[in-house]
């Protein structure tokens, strides 16, 4: 018997197996979407930070000297 799996599921009842597989697929899809959202938020935060640093660097640039 597999640890954490009931005897009924271990026997391979088609309905239970199908439901379990469907739940696992939904969990995988949910995890995938959450991972994408997290990466998008992080990307946007880093992009805004980079833009802010670039704007500050441009603002603080010393004036050009004329010889």
């Amino acid at each position: 018997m597999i640890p954490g799996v009931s005897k009924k599921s271990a026997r391979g009842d088609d309905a239970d197996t199908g439901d379990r597989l469907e739940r696992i697929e939904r969990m995988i899809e949910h995890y995938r979407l959450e991972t994408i959202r997290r990466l998008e938020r992080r990307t946007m935060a880093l992009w805004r930070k980079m833009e802010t640093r670039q704007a500050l660097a441009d603002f603080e640039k010393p004036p050009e000297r004329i010889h």
Side-chain angles (χ1 to χ4, degrees), residues 9-66:
S9 293
R11 282 197 319 255
D13 292 339
D14 290 339
D16 290 341
T17 303
D19 290 344
R20 186 168 183 258
L21 181 59
E22 190 176 315
R23 274 196 319 274
I24 291 169
E25 288 172 347
R26 279 196 312 266
M27 287 181 357
I28 290 169
E29 182 66 10
H30 175 75
Y31 177 78
R32 187 183 70 79
L33 292 173
E34 284 301 313
T35 300
I36 289 170
R37 286 187 198 116
R38 234 184 346 266
L39 289 171
E40 287 173 344
R41 284 194 301 266
R42 183 69 180 142
T43 300
M44 291 306 296
L46 290 172
W47 182 261
R48 285 191 296 269
K49 191 174 191 178
M50 189 253 338
E51 283 181 329
T52 302
R53 286 183 177 181
Q54 185 61 48
L56 187 58
D58 291 343
F59 179 75
E60 293 179 339
K61 206 181 287 185
E64 294 182 25
R65 294 185 178 177
I66 301 175

